[in-house]
Amino acid sequence: MNLYDLTIHQSHQLLKSRQISSIELTRSALDHIDRMENKLHALVTVTADLALSQAQKADERIKNGDATPLVGIPAIIKDNMCTRGIRTTCSSRMLQNFIPPYNATVVEKLNSEGIVMVGKGNMDEFAMGSSTENSAFYPTRNPWALDRVPGGSSGGSAAGVAAGETIFALGSDTGGSIRQPAGFCSVVGLKPTYGRVSRYGLVAFASSLDQIGPLTRDVTDAALVMNAIAGHDPQDSTSVSQPVPDYTQALTPHLKGLRLGVPKEYFVEGMQPGVKQVMQAAILKLEELGAVVEEISLPSTKYALAVYYIIAPSEASANLARYNGVKYGFSFQDTDSMWEAMDKTRQYGFGPEVKRRIMLGTYALSSGYYDAYYLKAQKVRTLIGMEFARAFERFDALITPTSPTVPFKIGEKTENPLQMYLSDICTIPTNIAGIPGISIPAGFVDGLPVGMQILSRPFAEETLLRVAYAYEQATEWHKRKPDV
Ligand code: GLN
C-alpha cells in the first residue's frame, strides 16, 4: 500500500510505533501532488515548505511521546479558511493575493493537534457552485473520471482526498458543499450541526448556513477530525457551548434498535435509475444490520431550493459588500473617482456566478420585495425545520441519496445555472434546518461513485457516525481507489 493511501488512524499507528515518520508521509503526499496536480488541479496553493517544517515538528512531538491522533497527518484546507501568512483566495480574483494575518479557528485547532498542511483546496468562487467549475483559476477534475466534475464547492478538498494528495481535508458546506463532492469522489464528508464548529476565519458566504467539516477516507477518520475541530469558540458567537463528546465512541458495528426514515421526496424526478438502485441496496444493508427502516414524507422539501436561493444570495450580497477595493483584496486603481474604482474592482474581481448571486440577493432584500421574498423564505425555512423536528420524533436518522445523479461531465451544466442548482436538491434542506448530515460511499454506477446521505437531529453527529460506521464496516465501497 502507498503511504498516501492510508487513513488517519492507520497512519497514526505507523507514526506512533515509529515505523514511518511524518517527514516520509509528507514527502510521499507532496511527491504524489507533484505527479497528480497537472491533471487534477485540486489545489490553489501547494504549501510544501510549511508542510515539511510542520512534519519535522510533528516527528519531534512523536519522539517526545506526544502522539495525539492527528499529529503528523497531511491535510488540505479549503481555500476559504484563513491561514496566517498563506494566501487564501476563495478561488476568486478578488482575493488572489490576499494573505491573512490570522488563522481560522479550525486551522488553529488543527495546528495545535500537529497536522501538516500540504495545500489549499480549489473551490467554486466564494463557495458558490456545485462543480468547482466556478473557480476563477481552473476547474478541478474528478479522480474517478478526469472528464467529470468532482462536485463542489469543496471539489479540491474532496478530489485531493480521493486521489491520495492528502489523508484528509476540511471543506465548508452552505448547501451541500462538503457532502455533494464527498459523494461524487467516494469519500466521507460530514457537515456538522450549525454552531458545532467555529466559523471564525471562514470567509463568509451565507452566514446562517455555512459550516466547516471534514472530508476523509473513512468514518473513523471523520470522527477523529470532529474531535479536533468541534466546540465553542469565543470568537464566533454562533458557535454553541455544548460539550464535545469523543466521537469515536459512536463507532459501533450494528444498528439494533435504530429507527431510520426514508423521505420519499428525496427520490426525486430526474433521479438516475442507477443511483436509485444503489440506494435500494444500501437500505437493505441497513436493515440487515438491525435497523428498522420506514418510508416517511417531508412535503416541504419541494420548497427548499427556492428558499435557499433567496436566503443564501441575500446573505451573500451583504457579506460580499466588503470587497470594494479599499480594505483588502483586488483593487482597481486606474480611475478618476472612488465610485468608479469600486465599480471596476467588483466588475473585474468577481466572476459571473458571484455577480448573479449578489444581484439575486440585492433584489430579494430591496424595499418592496423584502416581504415578498426574503421574509416569506424565512417563514418557509421555519416550516422546513419543524418538519425535520417532527420526523426526528419518530426516527433516529433519515437516509437519502446525496445527489440525484453520478458526477456529471465538465461543461455539462455551466450554461444552465438552474440545472446546476438542482444538483443540490438533496443536501440543501439540511442547511436550511441547521441539522447535521454525512455522505458516505454507497456504490458505483458504471464506475462512477454514488453517495448515501444520513441526516439526524441537531447535535446528533454521533448518530450519523454510528449509522455510517456500521454501513461502512459491512461494505467495501470505501476501499476502492480511483485509478489515477
Ligand atoms: N451548490 C450550492 C451553491 O451553489 C451550495 C454551495 C455550498 O454549500 N457552499 O450555493
Side-chain angles (χ1 to χ4, degrees), residues 228-467:
I229 63 172
H232 179 246
D233 176 11
Q235 308 265 45
D236 173 6
S237 60
T238 65
S239 73
V240 175
S241 60
Q242 199 154 301
V244 181
D246 175 1
Y247 289 106
T248 61
Q249 295 295 312
L251 309 177
T252 55
H254 66 79
L255 298 175
K256 282 193 199 63
L258 229 60
R259 300 183 64 87
L260 304 179
V262 178
K264 63 170 191 244
E265 288 79 6
Y266 283 69
F267 291 77
V268 285
E269 235 177 282
M271 181 177 185
Q272 285 173 350
V275 173
K276 193 167 179 180
Q277 280 160 15
V278 164
M279 285 308 300
Q280 283 163 339
I283 289 165
L284 282 178
K285 188 52 110 192
L286 294 168
E287 285 180 313
E288 258 172 54
L289 290 162
V292 178
V293 184
E294 269 172 53
E295 192 181 85
I296 174 192
S297 173
L298 297 172
S300 303
T301 305
K302 58 176 175 293
Y303 305 122
L305 205 64
V307 166
Y308 177 87
Y309 278 100
I310 299 290
I311 292 176
S314 295
E315 294 185 16
S317 74
N319 276 326
L320 273 59
R322 73 191 67 173
Y323 304 104
N324 55 12
V326 176
K327 290 182 221 116
Y328 41 68
F330 170 70
S331 183
F332 192 95
Q333 298 282 351
D334 193 16
T335 58
D336 299 330
S337 83
M338 177 189 78
W339 297 114
E340 198 192 342
M342 282 192 198
D343 261 13
K344 289 265 164 46
T345 295
R346 290 169 73 80
Q347 182 182 339
Y348 298 119
F350 290 138
E353 183 60 31
V354 175
K355 288 179 187 161
R356 185 177 298 123
R357 304 284 177 112
I358 292 173
M359 284 191 282
L360 282 171
T362 310
Y363 181 77
L365 290 176
S366 57
S367 93
Y369 294 106
Y370 178 94
D371 287 350
Y373 296 114
Y374 184 74
L375 199 62
K376 187 62 144 273
Q378 290 290 22
K379 289 179 181 168
V380 184
R381 180 177 194 174
T382 303
L383 282 181
I384 292 171
M386 281 163 40
E387 207 167 89
F388 273 120
R390 268 199 302 279
F392 293 125
E393 286 168 11
R394 274 175 66 204
F395 297 103
D396 298 295
L398 303 176
I399 306 297
T400 83
T402 304
S403 307
T405 68
V406 294
F408 43 90
K409 288 248 168 74
I410 289 185
E412 194 178 318
K413 302 193 182 194
T414 39
E415 295 309 312
N416 188 340
L418 208 56
Q419 270 303 316
M420 191 70 94
Y421 297 171
L422 281 168
S423 53
D424 297 310
I425 196 125
C426 301
T427 49
I428 274 178
T430 322
N431 302 68
I432 291 179
I435 60 173
I438 193 171
S439 176
I440 57 170
F444 291 83
V445 176
D446 300 327
L448 297 170
V450 177
M452 165 162 70
Q453 179 177 237
I454 309 161
L455 308 175
S456 195
R457 54 178 78 88
F459 298 97
E461 280 80 5
E462 288 159 291
T463 310
L464 300 184
L465 291 164
R466 179 176 169 198
V467 178

Side-chain angles (χ1 to χ4, degrees), residues 78 124 126-131 134 152-154 172-179 205 210 308-309 312 353 357 420-421 423-424 428 431:
K78 186 178 181 179
D124 288 296
F126 284 100
M128 297 170 188
S130 314
S131 67
N134 294 338
S153 63
S154 313
S172 68
D173 191 311
T174 306
S177 280
I178 292 174
R179 291 159 290 154
F205 162 12
D210 299 340
Y308 177 87
Y309 278 100
E353 183 60 31
R357 304 284 177 112
M420 191 70 94
Y421 297 171
S423 53
D424 297 310
I428 274 178
N431 302 68

